Amino acid sequence: MPRRVEFFEGTLSNTSEISTAQIFDTTLRDGEQSPRTSFSYDDKREIAARLDAMGTHVIEAGFPVNSDAEFAAVRDIAADTTATVCGLARVVDADVEAAIDADVDMVHVFVSTSDVQLEDSMHASREEAVERSIRSIERVREAGIDVMFSPMDATRTDGEFLVEVVEAVSEAGVDWINVPDTCGVATPTRFADLIATIDAHTDAKIDVHTHDDFGLATANAIAGMEAGAASAQVSVNGIGERAGNAAYEEVVMALESLYDVDTGIDTTQIRALADLVERTSAMEIPANKPVVGRNAFAHESGIHAAGVIENSATFEPGVMTPEMVGAERELVMGKHTGTHSVRERLADAGFEPTDEEVRAVTRRVKDHGAAKERVTDDTFERFAREVGVRRPEPVTEGVQ
């Protein structure tokens, strides 16, 4: 199957803003922090295996110091996974040692840098935050492991202090600087400007972590990558703290289809991955969820359905098809259904309708939908029988 569809016209004609991108999945860490969500050991192993098989670059497997069970899950995922496996740690000695002992490929250390979090959550001074960060980074490097550093609440941090922190951890030898929009207050232009500023003060690679409190997580993640970030942290179905994170499926497909970036990820498994996380997280996927919602490739409006029947690129992106993400297109019957959809559905069901019969069935479908009644397959076939649409009996070979 081709990686994308050739339909680059109009606003899609320029796709040069991003050339390469790393996908850092945090479903098993930040995703699990969704209220009322908890992954079992087996859940974590199954999700990690799926992410790994798809070619996900980095898997943040959890917070090793959190519990013995969490440590075991992170350790075992690290042992059995091809992807880079990351463990989270505060800038606290016990956290860092637990992550190192879990034998991960990367340790992700973080500290609050906004004054509100330093004063009312961490209860530490700016100076203490910097000192602890440097000490933690040096310990991870001493262990011979890649280290990522996050100035938590970066988008609400004093600009001059943020630069001071970035320069200090860069001098300490950090490999990656993650820029987190912890409380989801960034906007695409402002976040891009912030990434450009940080990039000017470090030689480390930049990663972004965006939250969806205002529905801007994916847009902010992409804006950060346009501004020079090499990696984006995402979670499947966008689950995570509060309103969640930038969604794995949205960021990956935006990169693949809108920016023509070959992420190396097997996108045909995206729907199966989304279903797995929906089941294990007990968080239902909204019908209108981009890429993986049941309405993402569904059409009811007569004009839209007629166009899609003729050429799916008429009323779908054109550069993203259901096949690319392991989904299926659906023509939904309801109040807005037109004759083209009804004729297509009748033909699929083996009927041979006349034009008048198509119009008669369409009227029944519209009336049923207008009454807020669902048009199921059984209901649709009942309408066809009531109208008297002919359906030839299948031809079978005689018994010899």
Side-chain angles (χ1 to χ4, degrees), residues 372-392:
K372 296 191 175 181
E373 297 289 341
R374 185 181 175 200
V375 182
T376 65
D377 289 344
D378 289 342
T379 304
F380 184 74
E381 293 209 14
R382 174 166 59 82
F383 291 160
R385 290 195 303 272
E386 290 172 354
V387 168
V389 185
R390 177 175 176 270
R391 178 159 60 178

Side-chain angles (χ1 to χ4, degrees), residues 43-270:
D43 291 341
K44 286 204 165 196
R45 294 299 302 274
E46 186 177 4
I47 294 168
R50 172 80 65 171
L51 287 166
D52 192 32
M54 291 173 66
T56 308
H57 310 122
V58 182
I59 300 172
E60 190 166 46
F63 199 171
V65 79
N66 191 49
S67 67
D68 290 343
E70 183 81 346
F71 178 88
V74 174
R75 177 199 62 203
D76 294 348
I77 289 170
D80 296 336
T81 304
T82 302
T84 296
V85 174
C86 180
L88 186 70
R90 295 166 297 180
V91 288
V92 174
D93 292 346
D95 287 34
V96 173
E97 294 304 324
I100 292 172
D101 291 344
D103 202 22
V104 294
D105 306 298
M106 176 189 292
V107 177
H108 177 190
V109 299
F110 71 96
V111 70
S112 295
T113 54
S114 67
D115 289 333
V116 64
Q117 288 194 0
L118 281 170
E119 294 169 8
D120 297 327
S121 177
M122 189 175 170
H123 304 294
S125 67
R126 289 181 172 184
E127 292 75 18
E128 289 172 323
V130 174
E131 290 170 5
R132 294 179 194 176
S133 299
I134 292 171
R135 185 170 69 245
S136 296
I137 290 166
E138 289 176 344
R139 174 66 187 106
V140 177
R141 285 185 56 81
E142 180 184 287
I145 301 172
D146 284 352
V147 59
M148 173 180 283
F149 170 77
S150 287
M152 189 161 67
D153 209 14
T155 49
R156 299 194 303 174
T157 297
D158 173 77
E160 290 184 4
F161 178 57
L162 184 59
V163 168
E164 178 186 332
V165 173
V166 166
E167 291 180 342
V169 298
S170 298
E171 188 174 338
V174 73
D175 298 291
W176 285 89
I177 293 177
N178 168 257
V179 185
D181 181 28
T182 305
C183 293
V185 299
T187 63
T189 300
R190 296 173 201 165
F191 196 60
D193 288 344
L194 180 61
I195 297 306
T197 297
I198 290 173
D199 193 30
H201 290 272
T202 184
D203 290 329
K205 290 169 286 188
I206 297 177
D207 178 55
V208 294
H209 179 109
T210 54
H211 277 270
D212 210 30
D213 296 74
F214 289 90
L216 295 171
T218 296
N220 286 332
I222 293 295
M225 300 187 90
E226 283 192 358
S231 176
Q233 295 195 5
V234 296
S235 69
V236 179
N237 300 339
I239 66 173
E241 287 276 3
R242 303 181 316 279
N245 296 273
Y248 181 106
E249 61 279 4
E250 294 174 19
V251 172
V252 169
M253 292 313 298
L255 290 168
E256 290 271 348
S257 296
L258 302 180
Y259 291 85
D260 198 21
V261 174
D262 186 355
T263 63
I265 289 172
D266 180 0
T267 65
T268 64
Q269 295 189 50
I270 280 179

Side-chain angles (χ1 to χ4, degrees), residues 236-238 247-250 285-296:
V236 179
N237 300 339
Y248 181 106
E249 61 279 4
E250 294 174 19
I285 300 172
N288 65 335
K289 176 76 176 64
V291 184
V292 295
R294 72 175 186 271
N295 287 353

Side-chain angles (χ1 to χ4, degrees), residues 3-21 218-219 221-223 225-226 249-263 267 290-291 316-321 324-325:
R3 187 170 62 81
R4 59 173 174 78
V5 177
E6 297 288 349
F7 192 79
F8 282 79
E9 298 176 8
T11 60
L12 291 169
S13 60
N14 179 14
T15 61
S16 62
E17 301 94 338
I18 302 171
S19 57
T20 59
T218 296
I222 293 295
M225 300 187 90
E226 283 192 358
E249 61 279 4
E250 294 174 19
V251 172
V252 169
M253 292 313 298
L255 290 168
E256 290 271 348
S257 296
L258 302 180
Y259 291 85
D260 198 21
V261 174
D262 186 355
T263 63
T267 65
V291 184
E316 287 180 6
V319 287
M320 178 176 69
T321 65
M324 289 170 69
V325 298

Side-chain angles (χ1 to χ4, degrees), residues 36-49:
R36 294 171 288 278
T37 292
S38 178
F39 295 128
S40 69
Y41 171 88
D42 289 339
D43 291 341
K44 286 204 165 196
R45 294 299 302 274
E46 186 177 4
I47 294 168

